[in-house]
């Protein structure tokens, strides 16, 4: 570093430029099948759905009402073609809401507004995506090729 700190300023500027380039690379990485996702978690869910041949609509918008009865709009991250029972879901769902973490007030409010419009959502957290990547998207319920063949013969 020279007497006036020019080298240090240059290094800081260069580091900021590298950070900006990294952010741009990450934005490019968020695209999958022609759809640009908002974060990597959403992209991972999209990949899982595509690999399991589950048709979906990304970022579907619904008309809802607030607690006070005012008209509102809410979006779900993934709207599946039909209700499905996914691993870790307590019941069949058609709407998936991907969250990196739960923000109690906002998530609950959104979920309740969608529920009053007749849309049951399942909140997908990072550990759920890890589970789906590790063990599969669907429960197998103990069915094997042998048990399926056994049922067909009867």
């Amino acid at each position: 570093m020279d007497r006036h700190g020019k080298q240090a300023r240059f290094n800081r500027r260069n580091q900021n430029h590298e950070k900006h380039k990294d952010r741009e690379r990450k934005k490019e990485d968020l695209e999958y099948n022609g759809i640009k996702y908002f974060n990597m978690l959403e992209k991972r869910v999209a990949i899982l759905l595509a690999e399991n041949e589950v048709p979906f609509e990304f970022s579907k918008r619904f008309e809802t009402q607030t607690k006070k009865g005012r008209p509102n709009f809410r979006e779900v991250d993934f709207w599946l073609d039909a209700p499905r029972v996914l691993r870790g879901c307590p019941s069949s769902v058609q709407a998936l809401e991907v969250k990196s973490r739960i923000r109690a007030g906002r998530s609950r409010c959104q979920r309740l507004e969608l529920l009053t419009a007749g849309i049951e959502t399942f909140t997908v957290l990072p550990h759920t995506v890890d589970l789906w990547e590790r063990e599969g998207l669907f429960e197998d319920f103990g069915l094997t090729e042998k048990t399926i063949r056994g049922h067909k013969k009867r």
Side-chain angles (χ1 to χ4, degrees):
M1 179 165 72
D2 70 0
R3 188 171 140 198
H4 300 289
K6 287 181 185 173
Q7 186 64 40
R9 281 195 299 270
F10 173 77
N11 287 342
R12 276 194 302 271
R13 234 186 338 228
N14 198 24
Q15 287 170 347
N16 289 338
H17 180 69
E18 289 301 316
K19 285 180 188 176
H20 179 70
K21 281 172 53 180
D22 286 344
R23 273 190 231 121
E24 290 301 315
R25 273 189 225 110
K26 285 179 185 175
K27 283 180 186 176
E28 290 171 11
D29 291 344
L30 294 177
E31 193 169 321
Y32 178 72
N33 278 350
I35 300 172
K36 200 162 205 159
Y37 296 94
F38 295 108
N39 56 51
M40 277 305 290
L41 198 58
E42 285 181 354
K43 181 181 173 184
R44 287 170 60 196
V45 171
I47 291 168
L48 281 165
L49 292 171
E51 285 175 350
N52 287 281
E53 298 175 1
V54 177
F56 65 89
E57 187 177 329
F58 179 67
S59 198
K60 184 168 177 146
R61 194 173 207 192
F62 293 96
E63 203 170 308
T64 62
Q65 288 186 345
T66 64
K67 286 187 224 176
K68 296 179 181 179
R70 291 189 207 127
N72 195 16
F73 289 96
R74 291 289 185 171
E75 286 185 6
V76 293
D77 293 328
F78 294 92
W79 179 253
L80 308 182
D81 66 330
R84 300 188 183 250
V85 179
L86 304 175
R87 187 179 301 276
C89 295
S91 61
S92 65
V93 293
Q94 193 167 3
L96 301 177
E97 189 60 38
V98 179
K99 303 280 185 200
S100 58
R101 65 177 191 257
I102 292 287
R103 293 176 183 95
R106 296 177 85 191
S107 294
R108 188 169 180 272
C109 184
Q110 179 181 10
R111 191 168 196 275
L112 288 174
E113 277 187 32
L114 287 164
L115 194 56
T116 57
I119 299 152
E120 176 76 36
T121 59
F122 178 70
T123 303
V124 179
L125 298 170
H127 69 271
T128 310
V129 178
D130 293 340
L131 173 75
W132 290 348
E133 288 173 338
R134 192 175 56 248
E135 297 182 24
L137 191 59
F138 300 107
E139 298 277 354
D140 63 3
F141 299 109
L143 294 176
T144 62
E145 192 64 35
K146 186 177 179 181
T147 58
I148 291 170
R149 275 195 226 123
H151 288 288
K152 286 182 181 177
K153 288 181 184 176
R154 291 183 185 169

